[in-house]
């Protein structure tokens, strides 16, 4: 009886939260009565305009470069920090708490906020966008990898220390081989996110296919917009397939 009563209370609270959220967000399904307008709008997207395809491909490669470089920098800096931010490998408690705070701070700031600051300071272009993606990824990957380090098997580490290995050497060769497949999994997921993030950064002047998409949409070139969207979808699918292939090879 107590269990059922608790379920009813939880359900009531959930319904209240949904109701107030719908009120706050002006959620109204009746607006779909004008769905015909959306169909007419999407009809303007076709046929696709392929005359700008070479430029779009070039911008797509720029977007891939931004996402890849930002994610790699995030991994390069996040990996060593994650060992400081893991309770079982951190050199000291103050460094553990400080590193966790820094990672939380960097993770809490969205890429677009970093992008707005860096684009103002460094000027328009892909370089500030790369840094914005990298800063946020350091926080995210550092946190995720630190949890993998904490969950690693301590046996190999203790065995290496028992034969006289230094602490950092034991961490490097006993923990990383255990967690590496999962590290790659997290990296490729963050790479996919970085591609989508670079599109948003392109809206504020970060370059790449995102900036082209924004410009085409703003100038009502919807036949070009449809090709931009298709290229973005293809990029994300290819990166996902590549990530699965690499993970399977490593595992």
């Amino acid at each position: 009886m107590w269990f059922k009563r608790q379920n009813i209370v939880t359900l009531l609270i959930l319904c209240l939260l949904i109701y107030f959220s719908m009120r706050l967000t002006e959620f109204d399904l009746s607006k779909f009565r004008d769905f015909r307008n959306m169909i007419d709008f999407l009809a303007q997207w076709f046929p696709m305009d392929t005359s700008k395809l070479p430029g779009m491909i070039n911008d797509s490669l720029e977007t891939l470069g931004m996402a890849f470089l930002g994610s790699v920098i995030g991994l390069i800096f996040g990996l060593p920090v994650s060992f400081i931010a893991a309770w079982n490998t951190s050199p000291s408690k103050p460094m553990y708490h400080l590193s966790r705070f820094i990672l939380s701070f960097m993770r809490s700031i969205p890429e677009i906020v970093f992008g707005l600051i860096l684009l103002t300071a460094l000027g328009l272009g892909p370089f500030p966008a790369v840094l914005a993606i990298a800063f946020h990824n350091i926080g995210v990957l550092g946190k995720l990898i630190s949890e993998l380090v904490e969950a690693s098997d301590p046996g190999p580490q203790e065995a290496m220390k028992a034969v006289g290995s230094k602490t950092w050497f034991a961490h490097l060769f006993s923990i990383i081989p255990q967690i590496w497949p999962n590290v790659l999994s997290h990296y490729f997921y963050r790479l996919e996110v970085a591609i989508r993030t670079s599109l948003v950064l392109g809206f504020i002047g970060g370059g790449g296919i995102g900036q082209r998409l924004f410009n085409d949409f703003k100038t009502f070139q919807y036949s070009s917009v449809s090709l931009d969207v298709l290229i973005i979808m293809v990029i994300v699918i290819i990166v996902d397939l590549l990530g699965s292939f690499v993970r399977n090879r490593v595992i």
Side-chain angles (χ1 to χ4, degrees):
M1 179 66 70
W2 176 84
F3 180 74
K4 291 182 179 179
R5 187 180 300 130
Q6 186 184 50
N7 283 349
I8 292 172
V9 172
T10 302
L11 183 61
L12 287 173
I13 293 173
L14 181 60
C15 290
L16 283 173
L17 290 173
I18 292 173
Y19 172 75
F20 284 115
S21 297
M22 291 174 71
R23 291 290 300 273
L24 289 170
T25 58
E26 301 178 5
F27 190 87
D28 185 5
L29 291 176
S30 65
K31 293 182 178 180
F32 279 98
R33 288 178 300 185
D34 300 325
F35 192 73
R36 178 68 187 177
N37 295 336
M38 185 183 296
I39 296 175
D40 293 338
F41 170 67
L42 292 176
Q44 301 177 45
W45 290 33
F46 301 97
M48 295 179 181
D49 182 9
T50 58
S51 62
K52 301 177 182 178
L53 185 58
M56 291 178 181
I57 292 175
N58 185 64
D59 290 340
S60 300
L61 293 175
E62 187 175 272
T63 294
L64 275 173
M66 291 160 53
F68 174 76
L69 190 57
S71 300
V72 166
I73 294 173
L75 180 61
I76 290 172
F77 286 92
L79 185 61
V81 174
S82 68
F83 280 85
I84 302 173
W87 63 265
N88 58 330
T89 57
S90 184
S92 64
K93 275 193 173 181
M95 291 188 69
Y96 167 77
H97 290 295
L98 178 61
S99 61
R100 299 287 285 197
F101 172 77
I102 292 172
L103 290 177
S104 297
F105 175 76
M106 298 182 75
R107 192 171 62 254
S108 66
I109 301 176
E111 294 95 326
I112 192 168
V113 176
F114 277 127
L116 287 169
I117 296 170
L118 293 168
L119 285 165
T120 303
L122 304 176
L124 301 178
F127 176 60
V130 170
L131 295 181
I133 294 170
F135 288 154
H136 185 77
N137 271 335
I138 290 172
V140 174
L141 289 173
K143 164 70 172 177
L144 293 174
I145 297 173
S146 69
E147 293 177 350
L148 294 176
V149 172
E150 290 175 348
S152 63
D153 183 5
Q157 184 179 350
E158 292 171 359
M160 293 189 70
K161 288 181 179 179
V163 296
S165 296
K166 292 184 178 180
T167 301
W168 68 268
F169 192 83
H171 291 168
L172 184 64
F173 289 99
S174 65
I175 295 178
I176 289 184
Q178 294 183 57
I179 67 173
W180 191 243
N182 288 325
V183 169
L184 282 179
S185 180
H186 288 320
Y187 168 77
F188 278 104
Y189 172 71
R190 291 307 305 174
L191 178 59
E192 290 178 33
V193 173
I195 291 172
R196 292 187 285 271
T197 301
S198 63
L199 301 177
V200 178
L201 293 173
F203 292 172
I204 60 173
I209 192 71
Q211 186 166 338
R212 177 180 286 272
L213 174 63
F214 179 72
N215 292 336
D216 288 341
F217 207 96
K218 191 169 61 174
T219 54
F220 309 108
Q221 299 182 49
Y222 299 128
S223 57
S224 296
V225 168
S226 59
L227 188 55
D228 292 331
V229 173
L230 178 62
I231 291 173
I232 292 166
M233 291 171 61
V234 170
I235 290 173
V236 172
I237 291 170
I238 290 174
V239 170
D240 180 53
L241 293 174
L242 178 63
S244 299
F245 173 76
V246 172
R247 284 194 299 270
N248 291 333
R249 294 284 291 181
V250 171
I251 295 172

